[in-house]
């Protein structure tokens, strides 16, 4: 056995900013379920903490190493075991990349729906562990809604099978949905059975510029009442400028907000026309509307690079807040006030149709005062979200980044109950301790 | 305090056949959360089993009394607390009748989707506790998919709040989905926050007669590939005859199977036409297609009374099996063989688009031999379903009726794990012991 510190360094962190990461004692890159079982039995017997990770694209530090822990990487368990077009399910190992599964399903005329921004690089196991979202959740739900069954390894190395391949299943406790989103704190997923849908129609796309984010949101509320978009993405002025600076896409730089709406059924054209009209009624200064899917995809690409573009402006502390859709104007006002109060730039983009925003604080990580203000602004945004009846995380998870807010959101009795549920899976508390719950 | 044995008798059973029911020691009809808390504290302190029930329309005996238990009826906690059109959620007490909530939502142009056959008489609390299904699950999901948040009382009387009112929420363990479908074994639900959708379009309806159930199912597979029905219901010849005998509706009595398909979006007309064509291609002898919603509803009514109609033929033992959709022909053949082998009449109807069948054994409960054969046939059907990779219950739950099959379906390690999870909620095991898990 050799100790390769450099190899381990690459497995110390996910992509979150300002999250603590420890130094692991060992790295295991599992090739099969037996490797996972052996690793867990060892960790369980010796009470060694264990952090499971996929591609490390998480944004809340849930996959960050803990001092002295075993890091268990699932990236090599990356086989698509079966795509069953009749049953409309796929069985995959956890290290399969989201986009690879989507491509395999498409070969059968089927669609793996969940589309986190990281889809080209993130793994299905990580998507499930964090209950990842994406752009089309308002219409199609989050990762959880597409998981039918799991095979997972308990802390003591025993293998469990949860759920069923059928569309409906009312047998026993729903252990599947308990494991989804549990950030590796309950069990290690070694196989997932995922639901596939019929491919949707080519999307029609509407892009509209508004003088203010408030007007864009009032348009979203009107659009939601009259049509059923699969995508309704928002970018504020700071984000538009950052995307333009990085991509030279020439988005409307004078706009206070840009709205990007897509429809993907057989009435997309009619719905897109109605949407365009509603945008104008709500004060849009420019409205463009296309049924060309390639052009639509270019606009979506502009939205997808939003975070990368903001990261080029400095260090970026990304938030992930979910509020009821009608509370979006208040949440956006709160973000604006917080930016002003803490003298910081905050670029906001997100999924307007389901109330999930990603305000991103741009700061200079070399400046201790500014870093402190960034942390304070982050706190203030999370608290403002809770005051509006929101959730501290819509799709990135709790991890290390949000752990300190969890008790305010879910309460002490619920935290105690969750800890007892965890103990049922993991009596020695070795699985990702201190995260998720 | 008086003991009114007759009053208690009405609370001893749900609507299941051939399930054991004990004699309760007491009945509590809770009027508010305080009543629930006081009852649970007492039961917990004295280690008295407690069975929670709604309207008692369950079909698996989960609400049947246990000897010496407290029966806790939630039927008087029946207020709709709030319908919030902007947030698209409703907050209700557990005793609210499903159809009353649907009507209240409709007043706001919104739709509470889950539509179990019992919707006119069953409660939301019971729907959640059993994870009830309905006719439109293939497109819109089961009750679980529409529950955003719960307030529930733990066995020791402490109150917990789970979930969030937002569309996306990745914070902490998913205690909400753990409680959904747990048949009162984890906690007593005292308030539910449910998701509402935009009302759908008036449905277009296709009714097709086939010489055999096999042909009807092959049509369903074709329909599912080409269109997106919200409803695809199947009735076999025995069921058609029973419905005709009860209602004089004049359904095609010569048909081996009847298929009833509905579409509820803006392209319903076109999809219904395509569906009608596919039915003909797959051997339908009669195809009728209407865009009149009242006429469509009359056909749906024929399907909804299927179980009642079969009950008029004798004692009826209803099953609830879910198989992958492509396995439906094999499941239907197995049912036919089992009926022949045990010399019984079995009428089968169900939700073809999601693979959930309700084969119903008609027998003479006064004849011990025939009752024994009915039990044996029931066993054989459940086992055939498991052999096809199915679930022992799609939407009725485990209760008393299916408890003996649970370990074959979910395995001993999973059963042990579920028991530990239950103990986290209910350390003395007072909540509906011996059911659900």
């Amino acid at each position: 056995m050799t100790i390769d510190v450099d190899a381990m360094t690459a497995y110390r962190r996910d992509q979150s900013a300002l999250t603590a990461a420890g130094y692991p004692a060992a790295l295991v890159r599992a090739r099969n379920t037996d490797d996972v079982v052996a690793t867990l039995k060892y960790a369980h017997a010796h009470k060694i903490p264990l952090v499971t990770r996929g591609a490390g694209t998480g944004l809340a530090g849930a996959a960050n190493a803990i001092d002295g822990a075993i890091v268990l990487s699932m990236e090599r368990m990356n086989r698509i075991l079966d795509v069953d077009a009749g049953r409309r399910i796929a069985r995959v190992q956890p290290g399969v990349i989201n986009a690879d599964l989507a491509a395999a399903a498409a070969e059968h005329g089927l669609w793996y729906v969940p589309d986190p921004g990281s889809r080209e690089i993130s793994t299905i196991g990580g998507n499930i562990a964090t209950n990842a979202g994406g752009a089309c959740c308002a219409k199609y739900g989050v990762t959880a809604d597409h998981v039918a069954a799991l095979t997972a390894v308990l802390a003591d190395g025993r293998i469990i099978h949860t759920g069923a391949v059928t569309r409906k299943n009312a047998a026993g406790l729903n252990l599947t949905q308990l494991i989804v989103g549990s950030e590796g704190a309950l069990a290690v997923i070694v196989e997932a059975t995922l639901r596939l849908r019929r491919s949707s129609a080519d999307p029609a796309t509407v892009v509209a510029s508004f003088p203010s984010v408030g007007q864009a949101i009032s348009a979203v509320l009107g659009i939601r009442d009259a049509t059923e978009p699969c995508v309704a993405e928002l970018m504020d002025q700071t984000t538009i400028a950052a995307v333009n600076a990085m991509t030279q896409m020439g988005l409307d730089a004078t706009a206070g907000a840009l709205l990007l709406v897509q429809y993907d059924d057989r009435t997309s054209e009619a719905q897109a026309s109605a949407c365009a009209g509603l945008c104008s009624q709500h004060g849009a200064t420019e409205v463009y509307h296309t049924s060309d899917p390639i052009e639509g995809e270019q606009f979506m690409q502009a939205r997808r690079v939003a975070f990368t573009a903001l990261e080029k402006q400095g260090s970026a502390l990304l938030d992930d807040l979910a509020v009821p859709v009608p509370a979006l104007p208040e949440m956006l006002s709160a973000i604006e006030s917080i930016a002003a109060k803490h003298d910081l730039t905050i670029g906001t983009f997100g999924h307007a149709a389901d109330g999930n925003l990603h305000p991103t604080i741009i700061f200079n990580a070399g400046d201790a005062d500014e870093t402190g203000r960034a942390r304070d602004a982050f706190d203030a945004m999370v608290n403002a979200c809770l005051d509006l009846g929101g959730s501290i995380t819509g799709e990135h998870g709790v991890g290390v980044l949000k752990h300190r807010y969890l008790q305010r959101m879910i309460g002490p009795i619920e935290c105690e109950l969750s800890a007892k549920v965890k103990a049922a899976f993991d009596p020695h508390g070795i699985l990702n301790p201190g995260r998720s719950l």
Side-chain angles (χ1 to χ4, degrees), chain A residues 28-33 35-36 39 72-77:
Chain A
V28 176
R29 288 181 280 213
R31 290 191 184 276
N32 51 49
T33 299
D35 289 350
V36 175
T39 305
L72 174 59
S73 166
M74 307 302 286
E75 66 197 327
R76 291 183 179 179
M77 287 181 67

Side-chain angles (χ1 to χ4, degrees), chain A residues 61-425:
Chain A
N64 284 4
I66 292 169
D67 282 337
I70 296 170
V71 169
L72 174 59
S73 166
M74 307 302 286
E75 66 197 327
R76 291 183 179 179
M77 287 181 67
N78 62 355
R79 283 191 302 133
I80 295 172
L81 302 169
D82 186 30
V83 175
D84 185 329
R87 295 180 176 203
R88 293 196 178 166
I89 51 174
R91 275 193 314 122
V92 304
Q93 291 187 321
V96 166
I97 299 295
N98 178 307
D100 292 344
L101 171 58
E107 282 176 25
H108 293 81
L110 293 170
W111 181 25
Y112 177 65
V113 176
D115 65 340
S118 60
R119 65 184 308 171
E120 299 291 337
I121 50 171
S122 63
T123 65
I124 294 295
N127 294 172
I128 295 171
T130 57
N131 193 9
C136 59
C137 301
K139 182 166 180 184
Y140 294 108
V142 293
T143 297
D145 298 306
H146 304 273
V147 180
L150 295 172
T151 302
V153 184
L154 298 178
D156 63 8
R158 290 185 298 167
I159 296 171
I160 60 168
H161 302 277
T162 74
V165 299
T166 51
R167 180 66 189 83
K168 285 154 117 176
N169 169 33
L173 298 184
N174 196 338
L175 302 177
T176 308
Q177 292 301 325
L178 192 56
I179 294 172
V180 173
S182 67
E183 298 185 336
L186 298 187
V188 177
I189 298 163
V190 289
E191 190 180 307
T193 302
L194 303 160
R195 297 201 180 104
L196 306 175
R197 287 180 65 94
R198 241 169 26 109
S199 296
S200 62
D202 277 342
T205 305
V206 178
V207 185
S209 306
F210 293 85
S212 70
V213 284
Q215 284 161 295
I217 296 300
S218 68
V220 167
L221 293 172
I223 290 165
R224 192 185 64 147
D225 285 342
T227 66
E228 190 169 15
C230 59
V231 164
E233 294 291 311
L234 176 82
M235 289 194 273
D236 73 354
Q237 192 161 36
T238 302
T239 308
I240 296 167
V243 170
N244 276 339
M246 187 176 88
T247 66
Q248 324 298 329
M249 280 196 73
L251 301 175
D252 181 356
T254 66
L258 200 126
L259 205 58
L260 174 53
V261 184
Q262 289 195 317
Y263 298 92
D264 67 350
D265 64 28
R266 292 158 189 237
T267 57
S268 294
E269 287 295 311
Q271 292 196 80
S273 295
C275 171
L278 285 161
C279 287
S280 298
Q281 277 174 43
H282 285 88
T285 48
E286 257 186 53
V287 182
Y288 181 71
H289 139 208
T290 175
S291 57
D292 177 354
I294 294 167
E295 203 179 4
E297 181 52 29
Q298 285 165 348
F299 284 113
M300 279 302 286
Q301 201 49 36
R303 160 61 188 85
R304 284 203 198 96
V305 301
F307 179 57
T308 310
L310 285 164
E311 276 186 308
K312 293 199 183 297
Q313 312 280 314
S315 288
L317 180 55
L318 175 68
D319 208 341
D320 168 42
L321 303 169
V323 294
V325 177
L328 279 171
E330 286 161 277
M331 188 68 232
L332 286 156
S333 299
I335 294 168
E336 215 167 287
S337 306
I338 290 163
K341 182 179 168 192
H342 296 274
D343 191 21
L344 289 163
T345 298
I346 303 181
T348 299
F349 57 93
H351 316 293
D354 55 39
N356 186 200
L357 295 178
H358 298 303
T360 303
I361 304 168
I362 308 301
F363 66 105
N364 176 358
D367 179 331
D369 176 67
E370 201 167 313
T371 303
R373 282 185 280 124
R375 288 185 191 274
D376 291 345
F378 190 85
D379 268 348
M381 291 195 298
V382 176
N383 284 318
C385 172
L386 285 169
D387 290 341
L388 290 168
S391 169
I392 59 172
T393 169
E395 58 182 13
H396 295 171
V398 172
V400 175
L401 186 67
K402 295 278 176 80
H403 199 262
R404 64 188 180 278
Y405 310 111
L406 193 61
Q407 186 146 329
R408 179 168 170 213
M409 180 167 164
I410 72 169
I413 299 172
E414 294 79 358
C415 285
E416 183 196 318
L417 180 63
S418 296
K420 285 184 184 164
V421 170
K422 175 177 166 61
F425 284 77

